[in-house]
Amino acid sequence: MSDNTITRRGALKVIAGSAALGAAASCTPDELARSTESAHETLSGFDPLPPANPRAAGTLTDPDMLAPVVPWEMVLTDEEMRQVAALADVIIPADERSPAASAVGVPDYINEFVSAPAHKEHLTRLRGGLAWLNRTARERFGATDFPALTTAQQQEICDEICFEPDTPDALKPQARFFDGFRDWVSTGFWTTQEGMRDLGYMGNVPLPSFDGPPPEVLEQLGLAGEDLG
Amino acid sequence: MSQTPTYDAIVVGSGAGGGIAAFILATSGLRVLMLEAGRDYDPLRETPMFQLPKDAPLRGAGTPEKPFGFYDATVDGGWQVPGEPYSVADGSEFMWWRSRMLGGRTNHWGRISLRMGEYDFKPRSRDGLGFDWPMSYEDVAPYYDRTESLIGVYGSNEGLENTPNSSPGVLQPPPKPRAYELLTRKACRRMGIPVVPAHLAIMTQTQDPDRLPGEIFPNNDLARRVTADSMRGRAACYWATPCGRGCSIRANFQSTTVLIPPALATGNLEVRTGAMVREVTVDSQGRATGVHYIDKATLLDEFAAARVVVLAASACESARILLNSTSNQFPDGLANSSGLVGKYVMDTVGAGVYSQIPALQSLPPHNEDGASAMHMYMPWWLYGEQLRGQLDFPRGYHIEFGGGRRSAPGFGAFSGLEPLTQGSYGQRFKDDCRRYYGSFMGFDGRGEMIPNEDCYCEIDPDNVDRYGIPVLKFHWKWADHELNQALHMQRTFAEIVDEMGGTLLSTVQTDGARAISKGGQIIHEVGGAIMGDDRRSSVLNQYCQSWDVPNLFVTDGAPFVSNADKNPTLSIMAIAWRASDYIVEQLGQRSIG
């Protein structure tokens, strides 16, 4: 488990992180924390929130939303985590704009997801899917398991199951597994700081005014003459 | 009761209806006890204002325990509450939402604040269906003005049919439209569908503490003072973090930030949380004497006495309390000589589509969070066609729409893209996500349901909750009015998406039962103790006062006799305010209590 999954961060660090998505990308996290905290105070006149909520009962229906924790145990083995990481990186590899899925904690998120008590069927589907990938890696390429393959070999296998409508009937369960896994990777990746920055999400920062779309957006949409009210 | 009760009024519930009642009664100098079934809750210290999905379990996904996601303000609530079951009759589908916290559902609600119009108060007179209200729009209009001025509502006066203007100086300026809202407006303009600023209980500017309290309370020094102090402590929206989490800077309306603090500041209000009311008691003359409640901390039954009892526990919970208040005098439940307690429960009709709009792809990055909720919406626009019988459903709906780059990517981001991506993965998938980011839009209809005989709740004789209180059993059946309306919604949204050059990602149904939401799913349940002109055909009069028990009032959604497409919270507050003024007047004349 990586640090950011087990140890949830307090409000100020979250504020710092979100501010990092804005224009001030050159600031250090501490500087951003101070500037966002100060923006919150300046704009609202309210003190920043405390780091935890003593009123919350800590139950599933009344969790401490200021200091979230995952209340269940993680169940995937180290081997399974290695295989999850390999497949996650086939789905979201590193490129010049952002890191690969495994570099931003996606395997930990998938472990958290399939370990949830309500998600036992997902856990079974994951294990069944990994078993098929490993078996195919051995049968087709003589490799010990899926992570041992080259990227090209991994892609050759994934090509067969990446789109259910084109998948032969015998592989439909694998295609459904792959589809679900891709959704997990997607949530796990794009919700991270790196993922949001890659997408250009610039919100979650206090602003003195909301000015509507900038001119270049209106221009691209052919809305340059629209009344903004 | 021979001795004077400790309290002038007991208010059961602390949400929209209870909050207003407690605020008006306490600022009028009455001694008020508020009983709330849930725990104490303080948005100023508990709201997760900037927490991101990545810091929450399951990236903030909705779960049975937190249906609207981890950070949703709701505490100990949802469509299932542990230890507080309800039954649903065979063949019915109904979901009953509760929030067990101070402020109730006003903490997480959508803040959409639309006035009912003149047609909405007299629907039967217009099309022969349902019931007319015992009062008119003109009777309630001053209370809409006061409510909007007090809570802070942004919007504009467009002068559209059955979509009332507010009085000058009442509404706050609407926020500027987002890119996808402008694009939608342009397409809808060609289709004759109005897209205008939405009305939401979110402050785009601070309130004027020197002007507004005097306008709201011209003859009440105490109310003016505590209201001015409260307004000074509220900030304007700073355009970040979703309102459904609540608001620690008090920029949006919650009973817990706007009503309860100034009511407490009068010194006339006592709030008791963890108090689950089960029964209203009456004396030999049939007058309410107080309520029994279970103290959740001790699980002991307690009693509180007052001159007046105001139920505002939410429409169905108030009906439940009345039905459980049986005695030799009232064997069928209190205030139920009409037999209508629990009857004519309504929800809002919901149906929607999800779509992808290519024009919104690959836009230059910009911050589109805004007020987190809608800046624009479409009010119902086919009143004429409906009146001429050109549609196969009699009542209207409004359209809520969202998408774009609003709020941080969360659980489910870029899920279900196969129809667009042909199953891409790897670098191609990464590029697909970047390209499609901000180009998804959802359209949701929120339509009027007409009350019918098949939608009601009653006491389930076989089951009690963990406090030993008999539970409700729900019966539900949509009529063709609603089913046809839901189909019209989806067809219309598909046309809008088409006009925008987009692709539908959800199915447009041809069977209304597959298009429509479940009863209770939109969480606008009203009715169950309807008001009227006649004690034989209604439970309450136009002041929310029981015909049978003159010192018993119901000020939540239960008195509603229709459920216009106007999201009930604002109307609950306006009508509760009107009823509260009446209570003050009647207590002053000693004609009740």
mmCIF file of all heavy atoms in Angstrom, chain B residues 160-189:
data_model
loop_
_atom_site.group_PDB
_atom_site.id
_atom_site.type_symbol
_atom_site.label_atom_id
_atom_site.label_comp_id
_atom_site.label_asym_id
_atom_site.label_seq_id
_atom_site.Cartn_x
_atom_site.Cartn_y
_atom_site.Cartn_z
ATOM 1 N N LEU B 160 -41.703 34.759 -17.637
ATOM 2 C CA LEU B 160 -42.229 33.630 -18.419
ATOM 3 C C LEU B 160 -43.516 33.090 -17.791
ATOM 4 O O LEU B 160 -43.765 33.253 -16.598
ATOM 5 C CB LEU B 160 -41.178 32.518 -18.513
ATOM 6 C CG LEU B 160 -39.917 32.896 -19.293
ATOM 7 C CD1 LEU B 160 -38.842 31.826 -19.138
ATOM 8 C CD2 LEU B 160 -40.241 33.109 -20.771
ATOM 9 N N GLU B 161 -44.292 32.408 -18.616
ATOM 10 C CA GLU B 161 -45.598 31.891 -18.205
ATOM 11 C C GLU B 161 -45.467 30.959 -17.000
ATOM 12 O O GLU B 161 -44.649 30.034 -17.009
ATOM 13 C CB GLU B 161 -46.217 31.129 -19.395
ATOM 14 C CG GLU B 161 -47.651 30.719 -19.192
ATOM 15 C CD GLU B 161 -48.240 30.105 -20.461
ATOM 16 O OE1 GLU B 161 -47.468 29.794 -21.395
ATOM 17 O OE2 GLU B 161 -49.473 29.936 -20.513
ATOM 18 N N ASN B 162 -46.272 31.206 -15.980
ATOM 19 C CA ASN B 162 -46.313 30.354 -14.786
ATOM 20 C C ASN B 162 -44.949 30.181 -14.130
ATOM 21 O O ASN B 162 -44.688 29.197 -13.454
ATOM 22 C CB ASN B 162 -46.918 28.981 -15.131
ATOM 23 C CG ASN B 162 -47.336 28.206 -13.897
ATOM 24 O OD1 ASN B 162 -47.836 28.787 -12.943
ATOM 25 N ND2 ASN B 162 -47.113 26.914 -13.909
ATOM 26 N N THR B 163 -44.070 31.142 -14.365
ATOM 27 C CA THR B 163 -42.716 31.124 -13.804
ATOM 28 C C THR B 163 -42.515 32.495 -13.167
ATOM 29 O O THR B 163 -41.959 33.396 -13.778
ATOM 30 C CB THR B 163 -41.686 30.860 -14.924
ATOM 31 O OG1 THR B 163 -42.052 29.650 -15.592
ATOM 32 C CG2 THR B 163 -40.275 30.737 -14.377
ATOM 33 N N PRO B 164 -43.027 32.678 -11.935
ATOM 34 C CA PRO B 164 -43.186 34.038 -11.407
ATOM 35 C C PRO B 164 -41.880 34.810 -11.241
ATOM 36 O O PRO B 164 -40.831 34.237 -10.945
ATOM 37 C CB PRO B 164 -43.825 33.797 -10.028
ATOM 38 C CG PRO B 164 -44.400 32.427 -10.069
ATOM 39 C CD PRO B 164 -43.520 31.657 -11.004
ATOM 40 N N ASN B 165 -42.005 36.110 -11.442
ATOM 41 C CA ASN B 165 -40.922 37.010 -11.069
ATOM 42 C C ASN B 165 -40.902 37.185 -9.560
ATOM 43 O O ASN B 165 -41.944 37.111 -8.911
ATOM 44 C CB ASN B 165 -41.128 38.380 -11.708
ATOM 45 C CG ASN B 165 -40.866 38.363 -13.208
ATOM 46 O OD1 ASN B 165 -40.331 37.392 -13.749
ATOM 47 N ND2 ASN B 165 -41.254 39.435 -13.867
ATOM 48 N N SER B 166 -39.736 37.467 -9.019
ATOM 49 C CA SER B 166 -39.624 37.899 -7.630
ATOM 50 C C SER B 166 -39.746 39.413 -7.599
ATOM 51 O O SER B 166 -39.554 40.067 -8.622
ATOM 52 C CB SER B 166 -38.273 37.470 -7.053
ATOM 53 O OG SER B 166 -38.118 36.065 -7.155
ATOM 54 N N SER B 167 -40.050 39.953 -6.433
ATOM 55 C CA SER B 167 -40.131 41.410 -6.337
ATOM 56 C C SER B 167 -38.742 42.020 -6.538
ATOM 57 O O SER B 167 -37.726 41.359 -6.292
ATOM 58 C CB SER B 167 -40.685 41.816 -4.970
ATOM 59 O OG SER B 167 -42.031 41.419 -4.864
ATOM 60 N N PRO B 168 -38.702 43.287 -6.982
ATOM 61 C CA PRO B 168 -37.400 43.937 -7.208
ATOM 62 C C PRO B 168 -36.535 43.883 -5.953
ATOM 63 O O PRO B 168 -37.031 44.067 -4.835
ATOM 64 C CB PRO B 168 -37.783 45.373 -7.561
ATOM 65 C CG PRO B 168 -39.196 45.289 -8.055
ATOM 66 C CD PRO B 168 -39.828 44.155 -7.313
ATOM 67 N N GLY B 169 -35.252 43.613 -6.141
ATOM 68 C CA GLY B 169 -34.316 43.619 -5.017
ATOM 69 C C GLY B 169 -34.277 42.332 -4.216
ATOM 70 O O GLY B 169 -33.542 42.234 -3.242
ATOM 71 N N VAL B 170 -35.065 41.340 -4.631
ATOM 72 C CA VAL B 170 -35.101 40.082 -3.872
ATOM 73 C C VAL B 170 -34.025 39.116 -4.347
ATOM 74 O O VAL B 170 -33.263 38.568 -3.551
ATOM 75 C CB VAL B 170 -36.502 39.433 -3.959
ATOM 76 C CG1 VAL B 170 -36.469 38.008 -3.447
ATOM 77 C CG2 VAL B 170 -37.511 40.269 -3.163
ATOM 78 N N LEU B 171 -33.961 38.877 -5.650
ATOM 79 C CA LEU B 171 -33.006 37.889 -6.167
ATOM 80 C C LEU B 171 -31.593 38.458 -6.225
ATOM 81 O O LEU B 171 -31.400 39.662 -6.441
ATOM 82 C CB LEU B 171 -33.415 37.442 -7.575
ATOM 83 C CG LEU B 171 -34.712 36.644 -7.697
ATOM 84 C CD1 LEU B 171 -35.004 36.348 -9.167
ATOM 85 C CD2 LEU B 171 -34.630 35.355 -6.894
ATOM 86 N N GLN B 172 -30.625 37.595 -6.056
ATOM 87 C CA GLN B 172 -29.231 37.966 -6.272
ATOM 88 C C GLN B 172 -28.877 37.717 -7.740
ATOM 89 O O GLN B 172 -29.517 36.901 -8.402
ATOM 90 C CB GLN B 172 -28.337 37.139 -5.363
ATOM 91 C CG GLN B 172 -28.591 37.412 -3.889
ATOM 92 C CD GLN B 172 -27.378 37.101 -3.040
ATOM 93 O OE1 GLN B 172 -26.421 36.486 -3.503
ATOM 94 N NE2 GLN B 172 -27.414 37.521 -1.797
ATOM 95 N N PRO B 173 -27.857 38.408 -8.257
ATOM 96 C CA PRO B 173 -27.522 38.232 -9.679
ATOM 97 C C PRO B 173 -27.124 36.776 -9.966
ATOM 98 O O PRO B 173 -26.420 36.162 -9.167
ATOM 99 C CB PRO B 173 -26.330 39.159 -9.890
ATOM 100 C CG PRO B 173 -26.275 40.039 -8.696
ATOM 101 C CD PRO B 173 -26.974 39.354 -7.577
ATOM 102 N N PRO B 174 -27.571 36.230 -11.093
ATOM 103 C CA PRO B 174 -27.146 34.873 -11.436
ATOM 104 C C PRO B 174 -25.673 34.859 -11.857
ATOM 105 O O PRO B 174 -25.163 35.874 -12.326
ATOM 106 C CB PRO B 174 -28.055 34.514 -12.618
ATOM 107 C CG PRO B 174 -28.401 35.822 -13.246
ATOM 108 C CD PRO B 174 -28.433 36.827 -12.121
ATOM 109 N N PRO B 175 -25.012 33.720 -11.702
ATOM 110 C CA PRO B 175 -23.627 33.628 -12.173
ATOM 111 C C PRO B 175 -23.576 33.615 -13.704
ATOM 112 O O PRO B 175 -24.568 33.303 -14.356
ATOM 113 C CB PRO B 175 -23.148 32.273 -11.627
ATOM 114 C CG PRO B 175 -24.296 31.625 -10.981
ATOM 115 C CD PRO B 175 -25.512 32.480 -11.122
ATOM 116 N N LYS B 176 -22.425 33.936 -14.222
ATOM 117 C CA LYS B 176 -22.257 33.887 -15.680
ATOM 118 C C LYS B 176 -22.399 32.440 -16.162
ATOM 119 O O LYS B 176 -22.017 31.503 -15.453
ATOM 120 C CB LYS B 176 -20.883 34.429 -16.049
ATOM 121 C CG LYS B 176 -20.751 35.932 -15.839
ATOM 122 C CD LYS B 176 -19.777 36.527 -16.823
ATOM 123 C CE LYS B 176 -19.888 38.034 -16.956
ATOM 124 N NZ LYS B 176 -20.323 38.769 -15.766
ATOM 125 N N PRO B 177 -22.947 32.247 -17.359
ATOM 126 C CA PRO B 177 -23.103 30.883 -17.869
ATOM 127 C C PRO B 177 -21.753 30.223 -18.152
ATOM 128 O O PRO B 177 -20.763 30.894 -18.428
ATOM 129 C CB PRO B 177 -23.868 31.088 -19.180
ATOM 130 C CG PRO B 177 -24.306 32.499 -19.221
ATOM 131 C CD PRO B 177 -23.442 33.264 -18.285
ATOM 132 N N ARG B 178 -21.766 28.900 -18.072
ATOM 133 C CA ARG B 178 -20.595 28.118 -18.470
ATOM 134 C C ARG B 178 -20.648 27.874 -19.982
ATOM 135 O O ARG B 178 -21.691 28.060 -20.619
ATOM 136 C CB ARG B 178 -20.572 26.788 -17.741
ATOM 137 C CG ARG B 178 -20.593 26.886 -16.227
ATOM 138 C CD ARG B 178 -20.595 25.481 -15.640
ATOM 139 N NE ARG B 178 -20.574 25.468 -14.181
ATOM 140 C CZ ARG B 178 -21.656 25.475 -13.407
ATOM 141 N NH1 ARG B 178 -22.849 25.531 -13.960
ATOM 142 N NH2 ARG B 178 -21.550 25.435 -12.091
ATOM 143 N N ALA B 179 -19.540 27.380 -20.516
ATOM 144 C CA ALA B 179 -19.454 27.157 -21.967
ATOM 145 C C ALA B 179 -20.549 26.207 -22.431
ATOM 146 O O ALA B 179 -21.258 26.478 -23.405
ATOM 147 C CB ALA B 179 -18.071 26.609 -22.322
ATOM 148 N N TYR B 180 -20.719 25.082 -21.726
ATOM 149 C CA TYR B 180 -21.709 24.106 -22.206
ATOM 150 C C TYR B 180 -23.129 24.643 -22.041
ATOM 151 O O TYR B 180 -24.031 24.251 -22.781
ATOM 152 C CB TYR B 180 -21.536 22.759 -21.514
ATOM 153 C CG TYR B 180 -21.866 22.713 -20.044
ATOM 154 C CD1 TYR B 180 -23.187 22.582 -19.611
ATOM 155 C CD2 TYR B 180 -20.872 22.800 -19.078
ATOM 156 C CE1 TYR B 180 -23.497 22.541 -18.266
ATOM 157 C CE2 TYR B 180 -21.171 22.758 -17.737
ATOM 158 C CZ TYR B 180 -22.477 22.635 -17.328
ATOM 159 O OH TYR B 180 -22.781 22.609 -15.992
ATOM 160 N N GLU B 181 -23.321 25.546 -21.088
ATOM 161 C CA GLU B 181 -24.651 26.136 -20.927
ATOM 162 C C GLU B 181 -24.964 27.082 -22.089
ATOM 163 O O GLU B 181 -26.093 27.109 -22.611
ATOM 164 C CB GLU B 181 -24.736 26.842 -19.574
ATOM 165 C CG GLU B 181 -24.725 25.833 -18.417
ATOM 166 C CD GLU B 181 -24.586 26.456 -17.025
ATOM 167 O OE1 GLU B 181 -23.825 27.439 -16.882
ATOM 168 O OE2 GLU B 181 -25.218 25.950 -16.095
ATOM 169 N N LEU B 182 -23.960 27.835 -22.510
ATOM 170 C CA LEU B 182 -24.157 28.722 -23.661
ATOM 171 C C LEU B 182 -24.398 27.931 -24.936
ATOM 172 O O LEU B 182 -25.244 28.285 -25.756
ATOM 173 C CB LEU B 182 -22.922 29.624 -23.823
ATOM 174 C CG LEU B 182 -22.745 30.696 -22.750
ATOM 175 C CD1 LEU B 182 -21.348 31.302 -22.838
ATOM 176 C CD2 LEU B 182 -23.808 31.779 -22.894
ATOM 177 N N LEU B 183 -23.642 26.853 -25.088
ATOM 178 C CA LEU B 183 -23.799 26.027 -26.293
ATOM 179 C C LEU B 183 -25.203 25.411 -26.332
ATOM 180 O O LEU B 183 -25.846 25.348 -27.379
ATOM 181 C CB LEU B 183 -22.731 24.928 -26.307
ATOM 182 C CG LEU B 183 -22.515 24.218 -27.634
ATOM 183 C CD1 LEU B 183 -21.846 25.153 -28.644
ATOM 184 C CD2 LEU B 183 -21.684 22.952 -27.454
ATOM 185 N N THR B 184 -25.682 24.972 -25.172
ATOM 186 C CA THR B 184 -27.021 24.392 -25.084
ATOM 187 C C THR B 184 -28.080 25.454 -25.371
ATOM 188 O O THR B 184 -29.065 25.211 -26.068
ATOM 189 C CB THR B 184 -27.247 23.792 -23.690
ATOM 190 O OG1 THR B 184 -26.186 22.867 -23.411
ATOM 191 C CG2 THR B 184 -28.573 23.061 -23.605
ATOM 192 N N ARG B 185 -27.867 26.648 -24.836
ATOM 193 C CA ARG B 185 -28.837 27.724 -25.062
ATOM 194 C C ARG B 185 -28.963 28.034 -26.548
ATOM 195 O O ARG B 185 -30.060 28.254 -27.059
ATOM 196 C CB ARG B 185 -28.418 28.984 -24.289
ATOM 197 C CG ARG B 185 -29.425 30.113 -24.400
ATOM 198 C CD ARG B 185 -29.080 31.292 -23.525
ATOM 199 N NE ARG B 185 -27.916 32.027 -24.033
ATOM 200 C CZ ARG B 185 -27.424 33.116 -23.450
ATOM 201 N NH1 ARG B 185 -27.972 33.585 -22.339
ATOM 202 N NH2 ARG B 185 -26.372 33.723 -23.952
ATOM 203 N N LYS B 186 -27.826 28.026 -27.227
ATOM 204 C CA LYS B 186 -27.838 28.333 -28.651
ATOM 205 C C LYS B 186 -28.647 27.290 -29.419
ATOM 206 O O LYS B 186 -29.455 27.623 -30.288
ATOM 207 C CB LYS B 186 -26.395 28.389 -29.175
ATOM 208 C CG LYS B 186 -26.266 28.966 -30.558
ATOM 209 C CD LYS B 186 -24.798 29.099 -30.946
ATOM 210 C CE LYS B 186 -24.659 29.603 -32.384
ATOM 211 N NZ LYS B 186 -23.247 29.579 -32.817
ATOM 212 N N ALA B 187 -28.442 26.011 -29.092
ATOM 213 C CA ALA B 187 -29.183 24.944 -29.772
ATOM 214 C C ALA B 187 -30.669 25.019 -29.425
ATOM 215 O O ALA B 187 -31.533 24.872 -30.288
ATOM 216 C CB ALA B 187 -28.612 23.579 -29.389
ATOM 217 N N CYS B 188 -30.973 25.262 -28.158
ATOM 218 C CA CYS B 188 -32.375 25.291 -27.723
ATOM 219 C C CYS B 188 -33.109 26.507 -28.281
ATOM 220 O O CYS B 188 -34.323 26.468 -28.481
ATOM 221 C CB CYS B 188 -32.459 25.273 -26.197
ATOM 222 S SG CYS B 188 -32.112 23.636 -25.500
ATOM 223 N N ARG B 189 -32.378 27.558 -28.523
ATOM 224 C CA ARG B 189 -33.005 28.744 -29.127
ATOM 225 C C ARG B 189 -33.610 28.366 -30.472
ATOM 226 O O ARG B 189 -34.727 28.757 -30.807
ATOM 227 C CB ARG B 189 -31.939 29.832 -29.298
ATOM 228 C CG ARG B 189 -32.475 31.211 -29.596
ATOM 229 C CD ARG B 189 -31.344 32.210 -29.764
ATOM 230 N NE ARG B 189 -30.684 32.542 -28.518
ATOM 231 C CZ ARG B 189 -29.360 32.739 -28.392
ATOM 232 N NH1 ARG B 189 -28.553 32.589 -29.429
ATOM 233 N NH2 ARG B 189 -28.854 33.058 -27.230
#
